[in-house]
Amino acid sequence: MKIADASDAYNEGETDADDRPLPVRTVYSGEGWIPADAAQFAIQSARGFARPDRAGERVLDLGDDWVTDMGRVTAIRACGQDGWVLVDYVIQRESVGGALQALPANRIRTGTAWFQGVCGAEETTCDMASVDRD
């Protein structure tokens, strides 16, 4: 899926037909708008910023844990230059001794931040070199 535009509640994009083997299913192909919380992707970064600038203010820093390993994207807000994406997120897990554990309700965090390290190919894990360099 290619995201072309974003509003408060919807993303405009273009998708190709579903080329996965089975089961056969009808999938829309073409341009259109979808709910902003319907598109999902992995973010291979632990650091979110107030603006699309790695030298800018960090609004989220999960150390060595990627944001979508500890939670999920709840909405796509904007796409920027050089692979930046502005998303709403929720952090629902933490890594304890290398194992993921659910956070209690009073420690779940939500926010909005700019990230790099987006995996744009749904067919792969997109393992790549870390974008979290200081």
Side-chain angles (χ1 to χ4, degrees):
M1 175 176 199
K2 299 173 191 164
I3 296 174
D5 196 2
S7 73
D8 286 341
Y10 292 92
N11 298 135
E12 180 186 24
E14 179 181 348
T15 183
D16 295 327
D18 186 0
D19 59 357
R20 287 180 261 184
L22 293 173
V24 175
R25 56 193 172 148
T26 303
V27 177
Y28 176 78
S29 180
E31 294 182 23
W33 288 85
I34 62 168
D37 62 355
Q40 293 290 307
F41 49 78
I43 298 176
Q44 295 183 337
S45 174
R47 298 183 180 102
F49 296 85
R51 61 184 198 279
D53 177 2
R54 296 197 73 75
E57 175 192 358
R58 281 188 196 168
V59 296
L60 180 70
D61 191 336
L62 298 173
D64 294 328
D65 298 319
W66 291 339
V67 66
T68 49
D69 287 346
M70 300 301 112
R72 64 185 178 86
V73 170
T74 58
I76 301 164
R77 298 294 173 206
C79 299
Q81 298 292 323
D82 300 319
W84 285 97
V85 62
L86 179 65
V87 300
D88 294 345
Y89 61 86
V90 59
I91 304 300
Q92 304 162 298
R93 295 178 289 279
E94 66 182 343
S95 179
V96 178
L100 294 181
Q101 293 185 354
L103 290 172
N106 66 341
R107 293 190 48 220
I108 291 174
R109 295 182 281 171
T110 60
T112 302
W114 285 94
F115 291 91
Q116 285 183 307
V118 172
C119 176
E122 64 198 43
E123 299 87 2
T124 178
T125 60
C126 288
D127 288 337
M128 63 178 94
S130 177
V131 297
D132 293 335
R133 56 195 177 280
D134 293 319

